[in-house]
Each structure stands twice: as C-alpha cells, then as structure tokens.
Amino acid sequence: MDMMEKVVALCKRRGFIYQGSEIYGGFGGFWDYGPLGVELKNNIKREWWKSMVYERGDVLGVDAAIIMNPVVWEKSGHVSSFTDPLVECKKCHHRFRSDKVSDKCPDCGGEFTEAKKFNLLTEVFIGTVEDEKRKAYLRGEITQGVFVNFKNVTDSTRVKIPFGIAQIGKAFRNEITPGNFTFRSREFEQMELEYFIKPDEKEAEKIFDFWKNARMNWYTSLGMSKNKLQFRKHKDDERAHYARMAEDIEYEAPFGWSEFEGIHHRGDYDLGNHGLKYKDEESGDEYIPWVIETSGGVDRATLFFLVDAFTEEGERTFLKLHPSLAPYKAAVFPLLANKEDLVNKAREVYQTLRSKFFVAWDDRGNIGKRYFSQDEIGTPWCVTIDFQTLEDNTVTIRDRDTAKQERLEVDKLLDYFQNILE
Ligand code: GAP
C-alpha cells in the first residue's frame, strides 16, 4: 500500500472520513466526516477563527446564506467566467479537464473533442410551483456572501478601513474530475478573509505580503512541515477572472505539489461590480475599496494535516497531530478493567478532564493495545490509573510522540494539559 492508500484506509477504519452515500455505492466528489473527522475539522476551523478574528482587532465575522439571489453570480462574473476547459473522449465519452490530461484519453487511448468551456456553478431550483421555479446556484465560493453584506457590516458596526470580514462555510463546484480523496470534491468548505483597504498599489502589495506570510506561518505553527510547503505565484494566464495578483500555498502531497490556499488581490472588482462604495466619515472621501483575500480550503487543510501527521516508526503508526488539532486531547485508562477501585478512580479522572476537553475512555485489552489504538488517531497523551494511584493520587502520563512516561499528581493534570494547549 502506498502512503495515500494507508491514510485513506485509516480515515475510514477509525472514523475520520467516509465515502459519501457509501451504502448506495457513493456519489462522486462527496465525502462524509465521521466522529473523529468532525473533531479535527472543527479544531482547524476554531484555530483559524481564533487567529483571524479573536487575536486581531480589525476583523469581524459573518455567516451568509449558501443560496443567494442569482443576480449575485451574474454580477460577480461567475456565470460567464467560472469555467474549466472540458474535453470528451470520442471513443469512451469520458470527460476530463483539458489542462489535466495529454492529447489521448487516459482510460482508452481515444481522441479528444475540441475543448469546451464548462461552467462549475451548481444549479438548484427554488420555489413551490413547478412553472415558477427559479434557477439559483449553490455558491461557488463563499466570498460573494461577504461582498453583498459589505454595506450591512459597515452600517451596523464601527469598522473603519482597513478592516476584514471573515467567514467559514460550504462551497460547491461541479468539478469535471473530482479525485485524490477529498482534495477535489464537489462540496467542500472554505475559510476566507476579505481584507478591505484604500486603493493604493504599494499598500496593496504590502498587505498582500503580510497575509501571505501570516497564512503560511499559521500552518507551520500548527505543526505542518515547513519543507513540505511552498508558495507558487500564478502566471498571467491562469489567474481567476477576479484576481490582479494571486499566489498559492502548496503542500507536497503524495500526488504532487498541490494548492490548498490562495492569496488574491481582487482590487475593486467585486465591490465595483455590486455597485458598492465606502465613505470615510472623517475625510469625507468616497471610494471603492480594494480587497486582499486569503482563501483556504478546510477539507484540503484537514487532508494535508492528516497526511503530514501520518508517521510510521517500526511497528508503531501514529498521527503526529498538533495537540490543538488532535480529536481527543487525552485518553484515560484504568490499568485493569476488572478492579472496581481502579475503574472508579479512573472514571473520576475521566469526568474531571472531560469537563474541559474531549477525552477518550478505554478499558479494553491490554495497555499496549490501548496505546496503539490512541496513537493511530493522534491522541497526544494517555493517562493510566494504576495501583500506585490509589496510594499517592499520581497517574502515569504517556506522550504519543516520544512514548515516554512520567508520573503526575491527579490534581495537576488539568493545568498540565491546559498549559500546553493554550
Ligand atoms: N474566493 C476565492 C476562491 O474561492 P479558489 O482558489 O478557487 O479561490 C480557494 O479556492 C480554496 O478552496 C482552494 O485553495 C482550495 O483549498 C479550496 N477548494 C477549491 N476548490 C475545491 C474543490 N473542488 N475541493 C476541495 N477544495 C477546494
């Protein structure tokens, strides 16, 4: 099995990610997150919100509707320009993105048709009476929900330029070739910041560089390997229709260097198209702000945090996830499951820790098997309650990455974890 196959198998076996609608044979490009996957994804989103909103004084959040008035997508340019080039094999009729294949069909060697533009927006029909149903779109990027609320936010809060609006939410793209596990899906989540500034090229470049570096540092601060990350500047002919300048953050995945966040200089493209302006109350100046955007994929970040954390050392397989991202922060074990005193004491420790963190309980099999099981899902610490605990109120804490154990008083456990996690 190659590394990617091992990660996919682990995700299914331990409840991180399942194929969507699996019992009906799946549905191409859709994935479900299991009990551990939802924790990991929520932790990533929480850390993102913390660093983008709470730790700054100039960013506020919104949560806009997924379905908007379809005029939004006409004005934003997505109806005319949100396309991928599509070719179809003349023999087997399989369809591909022409920029991702050579001149012969990879499935049967057949010839391709000329490339056609294929729009990625997902259509939906809204309304109760058949004839009056109105065509709308599931949002192709969460971004437009921020722009259409620009005036609402400036009118209802005290923000002044420069300031940012953050949002996390689902986006949908009718991808021609979904694949590489969750990497290219048709339903996915984005975490985005739209940062509004006064139009000025020098300032825009400065802010662009600031956010580019801030976003890269965020990934490494949460443990992603520096040597697996790089920036890649977009060439003139590959930039999205709204972007004046674009740079990707890429991860060296088992399937090659792959984009998982984009930093874009969108200028006044969107607010201008929506006819929105900003009035500086102090100077009286009125202008269309420029936007520097950071647009990350939650699912791609989740996938690359998982791939990056996947470690095999001899017999041991473990996920070296940053403690802030790990689904369970700790696991609590009674040394023996059939000794009432040990189990009662372990339950007490478990309840105390559980009041603050998501903590696992395991009393099956032997301790070695329990460690193995927690390592595989990235639990940073295992706490064992043994006979000595009953005498001196200390427990063993075993570290996932070093497999080293130390003894600590029960009363100090919460502080011990909290100090590392905060
Ligand atoms: N608002 C700008 C925007 O949407 P993008 O480069 O098209 O820019 C941003 O998308 C991020 O969204 C990507 O870097 C990626 O992480 C994620 N993304 C885009 N398409 C995706 C797909 N089909 N499946 C999973 N994630 C996707």
Side-chain angles (χ1 to χ4, degrees):
M1 260 208 264
D2 70 19
M3 200 262 226
M4 199 57 207
E5 285 170 341
K6 287 181 189 171
V7 171
V8 173
L10 187 147
C11 280
K12 179 169 161 61
R13 189 173 65 247
R14 299 304 308 269
F16 281 93
I17 303 171
Y18 314 120
Q19 190 182 18
S21 320
E22 192 179 8
I23 61 165
Y24 293 109
F27 202 50
F30 296 92
W31 297 92
D32 295 338
Y33 286 79
L36 296 188
V38 70
E39 295 300 328
L40 173 59
K41 201 148 84 109
N42 282 345
N43 291 343
I44 291 171
K45 290 190 277 186
R46 189 179 320 107
E47 288 299 318
W48 186 89
W49 199 268
K50 210 164 87 189
S51 91
M52 302 301 268
V53 182
Y54 298 155
E55 287 174 6
R56 300 184 57 88
D58 58 352
V59 177
L60 297 172
V62 296
D63 182 11
I66 286 175
I67 298 175
M68 292 184 267
N69 187 315
V71 174
V72 170
W73 301 105
E74 286 162 23
K75 296 281 185 192
S76 72
H78 283 76
V79 171
S80 57
S81 309
F82 195 45
T83 55
D84 272 344
L86 174 143
V87 287
E88 188 173 312
C89 172
K90 289 179 182 166
K91 221 160 114 194
C92 69
H93 299 288
H94 288 172
R95 293 173 159 199
F96 302 91
R97 263 174 70 165
S98 67
D99 55 339
K100 300 281 173 199
V101 283
S102 53
D103 54 350
K104 293 276 175 202
C105 172
D107 291 346
C108 74
E111 267 183 41
F112 285 130
T113 57
E114 285 290 302
K116 277 191 291 204
K117 278 187 177 174
F118 176 79
N119 194 289
L120 299 179
L121 286 176
T122 313
E123 294 177 1
V124 284
F125 294 87
I126 304 294
T128 48
V129 182
E130 202 55 43
D131 295 347
E132 290 169 17
K133 274 192 181 167
R134 188 167 179 201
K135 183 165 93 178
Y137 305 98
L138 298 179
R139 60 187 178 191
E141 58 168 3
I142 62 171
T143 335
Q144 295 305 320
V146 167
F147 295 136
V148 299
N149 281 297
F150 177 76
K151 193 168 169 347
N152 282 334
V153 173
T154 51
D155 285 353
S156 59
T157 70
R158 287 170 19 208
V159 286
K160 285 200 184 102
I161 276 187
F163 73 93
I165 302 181
Q167 184 175 217
I168 300 178
K170 293 264 187 175
F172 302 80
R173 293 184 190 174
N174 199 2
E175 296 283 357
I176 298 166
T177 40
N180 283 330
F181 197 25
T182 57
F183 180 78
R184 194 172 305 287
S185 307
R186 289 183 167 134
E187 173 179 341
F188 54 95
E189 238 175 323
Q190 295 184 309
M191 41 191 183
E192 290 194 336
L193 170 75
E194 307 304 319
Y195 198 79
F196 301 95
I197 60 168
K198 200 170 173 178
D200 180 277
E201 207 48 76
K202 272 224 159 72
E203 185 63 9
E205 276 174 33
K206 208 174 88 194
I207 302 278
F208 188 96
D209 275 352
F210 169 83
W211 280 113
K212 195 182 114 177
N213 293 320
R215 294 304 304 138
M216 180 65 103
N217 293 342
W218 184 79
Y219 288 107
T220 54
S221 75
L222 287 170
M224 213 180 262
S225 308
K226 261 194 187 130
N227 62 347
K228 296 249 170 189
L229 289 163
Q230 69 178 20
F231 291 115
R232 193 182 70 82
K233 208 171 177 160
H234 280 211
K235 296 186 206 97
D236 286 348
D237 61 352
E238 65 173 319
R239 277 199 303 271
H241 61 277
Y242 50 73
R244 289 185 186 197
M245 210 155 97
E247 225 163 305
D248 291 339
I249 301 180
E250 295 188 333
Y251 182 81
E252 192 178 17
F255 43 84
W257 284 99
S258 309
E259 171 216 337
F260 67 115
E261 171 143 355
I263 295 67
H264 309 128
H265 174 358
R266 295 177 79 123
D268 62 5
Y269 180 85
D270 303 89
L271 291 183
N273 284 348
H274 293 305
L276 295 164
K277 282 192 178 141
Y278 173 81
K279 184 156 184 192
D280 186 323
E281 294 300 340
E282 273 164 34
S283 67
D285 286 356
E286 205 175 28
Y287 56 87
I288 308 172
W290 284 5
V291 174
I292 304 297
E293 163 184 80
T294 71
S295 177
V298 181
D299 307 80
R300 287 188 186 176
T302 304
L303 176 61
F304 293 156
F305 273 121
L306 277 168
V307 166
D308 200 65
F310 185 82
T311 312
E312 289 177 303
E313 265 176 25
E315 295 289 286
R316 220 156 73 86
T317 299
F318 59 108
L319 289 183
K320 220 173 182 167
L321 286 170
H322 189 284
S324 303
L325 299 186
Y328 289 116
K329 304 305 172 209
V332 177
F333 311 150
L335 181 67
L336 299 171
N338 57 0
K339 292 275 180 252
E340 205 182 326
D341 287 1
L342 288 180
V343 173
N344 289 345
K345 182 68 189 170
R347 279 272 166 210
E348 194 188 303
V349 172
Y350 172 68
Q351 290 304 347
T352 308
L353 294 181
R354 217 183 152 96
S355 67
K356 295 278 182 234
F357 314 112
F358 194 42
V359 176
W361 169 267
D362 197 354
D363 57 7
R364 302 160 307 161
N366 61 38
I367 291 281
K369 280 200 179 126
R370 295 182 208 162
Y371 284 154
F372 179 88
S373 169
Q374 294 300 326
D375 283 349
E376 215 188 28
I377 58 173
T379 308
W381 301 286
C382 292
V383 176
T384 303
I385 282 73
D386 54 20
F387 291 105
Q388 194 180 327
T389 314
L390 303 178
E391 285 166 21
D392 64 6
N393 211 32
T394 64
V395 290
T396 63
I397 301 185
R398 183 259 198 189
D399 181 276
R400 175 197 67 202
D401 299 342
T402 61
K404 289 213 172 90
Q405 300 184 14
E406 60 176 307
R407 276 204 96 82
L408 197 76
E409 282 167 43
V410 168
D411 300 342
K412 293 192 175 147
L413 271 178
L414 267 182
D415 278 352
Y416 178 88
F417 294 138
Q418 239 148 3
N419 282 343
I420 300 175
L421 288 165
E422 273 160 14

